[in-house]
């Protein structure tokens, strides 16, 4: 009996061990495949060797087209600055292929392991991405890449990435000082050499803000509630499901449900069931537009859990939210290293009210109070101050930082360029018989 007690592992720990073992197994398998591919390139593939002969100045990796809004404003700035860039995407129908850039080239590199095999042997001066876990799972650092730069795809704690999410990046573009503090804490705890951090802001939020200002006032409409959950067991649809949708319908307000894109892949059975039951557009509208701007603009309140869309809705559109108690378990995340509640959760009471099992049947009362309580306006202003710097300038600052890192690793400084120009002018003057 004592032996069983000694060998007993609680379900939570057992689950984590299984996840770790599964991840290690995946890394081993992928590493062997990558090694075989590398041998193929080294021993017999002239085509592969030629593909790597020319070093790419700046490469951008997008693992899905849904991250286009993150990259587009920065790409536009890189184009203005005539910075040669290769945009590598895992989506064949990525919006990059509809742009008429002169200095930026779009490349489809396949999905999954095919894409990572290409990236792991990439020859580039700078690689820029919003994908975390570099050198943790399938995506390995290439020995032919000089600098990896990360940018977050939401304005929230950088510690909410899975463990070691940004540890192997050389530089990070941040949206606020809160994130800078967290990065420095993790560097010290893990004995990581301090990285180059740039407080640039949130380029895609700047674009949305500018777009909102240009769109004018929202036409008169019935009170509209947007339910936009994240995915997984802690998500609203998994936790409250049909009951919450029924309660929202009973308010008499217009109800829009916008599932997380990942739900259509990992929770398809649940979504299919809900969409089949609530198929009357007069009661519930289902939204899956790639561009969420219009649905956010025309909604009066947002109900969500731990999705980054809450902060977009509050800080850009200046509207209240209702959030759920997600029972967040920090163990798999970098947040577990820092002994304080992540800002993403601590700021929520300033932005709206909490939805729980006890008040879910009073959802109309919660909605009305959130919309009519002026104190949440102050909370939204505080959130902007905490996490969103350089409003209106972040895309340009991000592009400048990328170019600066490129010049650092290649030794191509602005001074050298200006020196060449001045020498060129001097030669022209001498040829024209003009004395210095």
């Amino acid at each position: 009996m004592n032996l069983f007690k000694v060998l007993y592992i609680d379900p939570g720990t057992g689950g984590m061990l299984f996840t770790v073992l599964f991840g290690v197994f995946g890394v081993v398998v992928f590493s062997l495949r990558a090694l075989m591919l590398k041998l193929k390139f080294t021993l017999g593939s002239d085509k592969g060797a030629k593909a790597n002969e020319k070093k790419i100045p700046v490469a951008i990796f997008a693992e899905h087209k849904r991250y286009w809004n993150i990259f587009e404003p920065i790409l536009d700035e890189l184009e203005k600055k005539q910075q040669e860039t290769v945009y590598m995407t895992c989506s064949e129908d990525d919006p990059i292929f509809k742009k008429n850039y002169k200095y930026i080239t779009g490349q489809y590199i396949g999905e999954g392991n095919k894409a990572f095999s290409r990236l792991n042997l990439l020859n580039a001066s700078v690689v820029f991405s919003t994908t975390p876990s570099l050198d943790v799972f399938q995506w390995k650092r290439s020995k032919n890449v000089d600098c990896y730069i990360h940018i977050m795809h939401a304005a929230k704690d950088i510690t909410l990435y899975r463990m070691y999410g940004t540890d192997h990046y050389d530089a990070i573009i941040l949206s606020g000082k809160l994130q800078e503090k967290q990065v420095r804490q993790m560097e010290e705890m893990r004995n990581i050499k301090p990285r180059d951090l740039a407080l640039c802001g949130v380029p895609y939020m700047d674009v949305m803000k500018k777009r909102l200002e240009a769109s004018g006032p929202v036409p008169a409409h019935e009170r509209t509630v947007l339910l936009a959950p994240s995915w997984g067991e802690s998500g609203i649809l998994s936790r409250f499901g049909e009951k919450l949708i029924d309660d929202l319908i009973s308010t008499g307000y217009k109800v829009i449900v916008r599932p997380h894109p990942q739900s259509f892949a990992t929770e398809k059975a649940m979504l299919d069931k809900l969409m089949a039951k609530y198929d009357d557009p007069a009661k519930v509208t289902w939204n899956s537009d790639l561009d969420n701007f219009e649905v956010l603009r025309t909604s009066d309140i947002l109900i969500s859990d731990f999705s980054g869309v809450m902060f977009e809705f509050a800080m850009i559109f200046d509207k209240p939210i209702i959030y759920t108690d997600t029972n967040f378990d920090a163990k798999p995340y970098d947040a577990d290293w820092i002994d304080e509640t992540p800002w993403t959760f601590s700021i929520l009471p300033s932005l709206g009210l909490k939805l729980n099992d006890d008040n879910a049947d009073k959802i109309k009362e919660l909605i009305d109070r959130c919309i009519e309580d002026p104190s949440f306006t102050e909370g939204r202003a505080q959130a902007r101050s905490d996490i969103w710097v350089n409003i209106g300038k972040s895309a340009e600052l991000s592009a400048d930082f990328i170019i600066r890192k490129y010049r650092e690793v290649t030794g191509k400084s602005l001074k050298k360029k200006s020196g060449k120009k001045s020498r060129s002018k001097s030669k022209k003057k001498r040829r024209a018989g003009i004395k210095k």
Side-chain angles (χ1 to χ4, degrees), residues 328-358:
F328 177 71
D329 181 8
K331 288 185 180 68
Y333 301 90
D334 282 324
D336 193 44
W337 287 66
I338 298 176
D339 189 22
E340 58 186 53
T341 302
W343 175 88
T344 298
F345 303 120
S346 64
I347 194 67
L348 291 177
S350 301
L351 305 179
L353 297 173
K354 182 194 290 187
L355 175 72
N356 53 43
D357 295 319
D358 297 329

Side-chain angles (χ1 to χ4, degrees), residues 148-383:
Y148 285 91
I149 305 174
H150 180 75
I151 188 171
M152 296 183 68
H153 47 265
K156 60 182 181 181
D157 303 73
I158 198 167
T159 56
L160 291 183
Y161 280 133
R162 292 275 173 171
M163 204 77 79
Y164 315 115
T166 58
D167 282 23
H168 301 286
Y169 275 93
D170 303 298
I172 310 173
I173 291 175
L174 303 173
S175 68
K177 289 191 175 182
L178 167 83
Q179 297 164 347
E180 181 180 33
K181 176 186 173 185
Q182 292 173 340
V183 172
R184 296 305 186 207
Q185 283 178 301
M186 289 189 291
E187 287 174 342
E188 186 174 350
M189 289 175 178
R190 296 174 182 167
N191 198 26
I192 299 171
K193 182 180 177 181
R195 274 80 55 81
D196 198 351
L197 307 181
L199 284 172
C200 296
V202 195
Y204 80 92
M205 284 176 55
D206 283 0
V207 172
M208 290 184 80
K209 182 176 182 294
K210 191 178 295 185
R211 190 174 169 188
L212 179 65
E213 292 167 352
S215 65
V218 178
H221 62 284
E222 60 183 309
R223 183 159 283 184
T224 302
V225 181
L226 174 61
L227 178 62
S230 189
W231 61 281
E233 293 181 4
S234 298
I236 288 180
L237 290 181
S238 295
R239 184 174 170 185
F240 294 98
E242 296 178 11
K243 185 182 184 307
L244 178 58
I245 296 177
D246 288 336
D247 288 340
L248 287 173
I249 292 172
S250 71
T251 64
Y253 298 147
K254 182 178 178 180
V255 178
I256 302 173
V257 183
R258 180 181 169 83
H260 191 281
Q262 188 64 29
S263 293
F264 290 98
T266 59
E267 302 173 313
K268 189 176 185 302
M270 177 193 70
L271 272 187
D272 287 346
K273 181 181 176 182
L274 290 174
M275 293 175 75
K277 179 175 181 179
Y278 301 100
D279 62 346
D280 182 358
K283 294 181 178 180
V284 177
T285 302
W286 293 86
N287 180 276
S288 58
D289 297 341
L290 184 62
D291 182 1
N292 66 1
F293 176 82
E294 200 57 34
V295 71
L296 295 177
R297 176 176 173 264
T298 55
S299 298
D300 298 299
I301 190 167
L302 171 73
I303 302 176
S304 190
D305 33 55
F306 45 91
S307 173
V309 74
M310 289 191 296
F311 300 101
E312 296 171 16
F313 192 77
M315 293 190 285
I316 300 171
F317 297 87
D318 202 26
K319 297 175 184 178
I321 64 169
I322 290 176
Y323 60 96
T324 60
D325 182 359
T326 61
N327 297 316
F328 177 71
D329 181 8
K331 288 185 180 68
Y333 301 90
D334 282 324
D336 193 44
W337 287 66
I338 298 176
D339 189 22
E340 58 186 53
T341 302
W343 175 88
T344 298
F345 303 120
S346 64
I347 194 67
L348 291 177
S350 301
L351 305 179
L353 297 173
K354 182 194 290 187
L355 175 72
N356 53 43
D357 295 319
D358 297 329
N359 63 13
D361 58 340
K362 300 175 183 177
I363 191 66
K364 185 177 188 300
E365 182 181 326
L366 293 176
I367 291 170
D368 293 343
R369 183 180 161 193
C370 277
I371 292 176
E372 295 159 15
D373 188 341
S375 68
F376 296 122
T377 304
E378 298 174 12
R380 295 193 291 271
Q382 181 61 52

Side-chain angles (χ1 to χ4, degrees), residues 23-222:
V24 170
F25 177 74
V27 170
V28 170
V29 172
F30 183 82
S31 297
L32 288 172
R33 292 185 61 180
L35 179 61
M36 291 175 65
L37 185 62
K38 190 177 288 187
L39 288 171
K40 179 183 175 183
F41 269 70
T42 305
L43 299 176
S45 177
D46 290 334
K47 183 178 180 182
K50 288 179 181 177
N52 277 301
E53 278 177 6
K54 185 178 179 183
K55 201 172 187 74
I56 297 170
V58 174
I60 293 180
F61 169 50
E63 62 178 309
H64 195 276
K65 65 181 179 182
R66 67 174 172 267
Y67 298 115
W68 174 247
N69 67 326
I70 307 295
F71 296 114
E72 184 183 22
I74 300 173
L75 286 169
D76 289 345
E77 289 296 329
L78 290 172
E79 174 74 5
K80 287 180 190 176
K81 299 171 189 298
Q82 300 181 12
Q83 175 60 58
E84 289 186 14
T85 303
V86 177
Y87 185 86
M88 298 178 164
T89 175
C90 295
S91 298
E92 276 191 281
D93 57 345
D94 195 291
I96 183 70
F97 300 115
K98 294 182 180 179
K99 297 282 285 191
N100 294 316
Y101 288 130
K102 181 179 178 182
Y103 297 94
I104 297 166
T105 304
Q107 287 185 7
Y108 171 61
I109 59 172
E111 301 176 10
N113 286 344
K114 182 179 179 182
F116 289 123
S117 296
R118 174 82 181 275
L119 293 167
N120 294 352
L121 298 173
L122 192 62
N123 186 8
S125 295
V126 169
V127 173
F128 176 59
S129 182
T130 189
T131 301
S133 300
L134 170 67
D135 224 26
V136 177
F137 295 115
Q138 296 101 318
W139 187 18
K140 302 298 180 185
R141 287 182 65 107
S142 168
K143 67 178 182 180
N144 296 314
V145 170
D146 301 303
C147 179
Y148 285 91
I149 305 174
H150 180 75
I151 188 171
M152 296 183 68
H153 47 265
K156 60 182 181 181
D157 303 73
I158 198 167
T159 56
L160 291 183
Y161 280 133
R162 292 275 173 171
M163 204 77 79
Y164 315 115
T166 58
D167 282 23
H168 301 286
Y169 275 93
D170 303 298
I172 310 173
I173 291 175
L174 303 173
S175 68
K177 289 191 175 182
L178 167 83
Q179 297 164 347
E180 181 180 33
K181 176 186 173 185
Q182 292 173 340
V183 172
R184 296 305 186 207
Q185 283 178 301
M186 289 189 291
E187 287 174 342
E188 186 174 350
M189 289 175 178
R190 296 174 182 167
N191 198 26
I192 299 171
K193 182 180 177 181
R195 274 80 55 81
D196 198 351
L197 307 181
L199 284 172
C200 296
V202 195
Y204 80 92
M205 284 176 55
D206 283 0
V207 172
M208 290 184 80
K209 182 176 182 294
K210 191 178 295 185
R211 190 174 169 188
L212 179 65
E213 292 167 352
S215 65
V218 178
H221 62 284
E222 60 183 309

